[in-house]
Amino acid sequence: MAGADAETPLECVVALADHSGDWYGLLFTDALDDADHLAVAGYVEASAKSRIYAATVTNSRILSSTVTDDLASRLKALSRNRTFVQYSRNAYAAASALGRAFTVNFSANRSVITLKFKQEPGVAAEGLTETQATTLADKTCNVSVSYDNDTAILQEGVMAGGAWFDEIHGLDWLQNAIQTECYNLLYQSKTKI
């Protein structure tokens, strides 16, 4: 018996979004080609529901300033402010960044963090030259990097389009909080408002 063709990553995300609105962040653990990343990033950017997409780039070509067709450069050119790109030899590095960011309790006092300069559990820092670090920053590509004082931090904490990750994440939380409060007010009201 003949099997069915596998769905594309975009088809998977569209089906997931159609099935449930109860998810916010997304990444794939399997390696995708750039065309698939671009398609998913475009869908997430255009979606009526606010979401964030993340991708890890393991190909070291991205470290060269003369390479302009890498995923980070292409997403930056498209101003994708809902896509987080990270360079790492660890294919799951972006998952660590999302895990760090998504544990924020926006309702707690002094609990909100910026993603910039945070450590990434489970991700070994990259040893980069100054030129490579500058190249990644210019491409709005994040990286966990080691410093001379034996620390490792995520820099820069930005989305592919240049917006700060925590700016997008915080605004999405605020939008959701306002919508939820307005809905609750209307739903619980026994009279006109």
Side-chain angles (χ1 to χ4, degrees), residues 62-157:
I62 199 170
L63 298 173
S64 172
S65 61
T66 61
V67 173
T68 58
D69 64 345
D70 59 85
L71 182 62
S73 296
R74 293 169 76 185
L75 288 166
K76 179 183 177 182
L78 293 168
S79 300
R80 296 293 187 233
N81 277 327
R82 297 204 156 274
T83 302
F84 176 89
V85 181
Q86 180 171 348
Y87 167 73
S88 179
R89 290 170 286 157
N90 179 340
Y92 309 108
S96 182
L98 289 186
R100 183 70 194 252
F102 292 169
T103 58
V104 170
N105 178 357
F106 286 97
S107 299
N109 189 28
R110 300 181 59 132
S111 65
V112 179
I113 63 169
T114 61
L115 199 53
K116 184 174 183 167
F117 300 149
K118 297 301 179 278
Q119 294 178 336
E120 282 187 296
V123 177
E126 303 294 328
L128 301 178
T129 66
E130 289 290 324
T131 302
Q132 290 170 330
T134 301
T135 297
L136 290 177
D138 290 345
K139 294 180 178 189
T140 61
C141 183
N142 301 280
V143 63
S144 178
V145 66
S146 54
Y147 278 82
D148 293 338
N149 61 357
D150 293 326
T151 60
I153 58 171
L154 178 71
Q155 60 182 50
E156 292 291 325

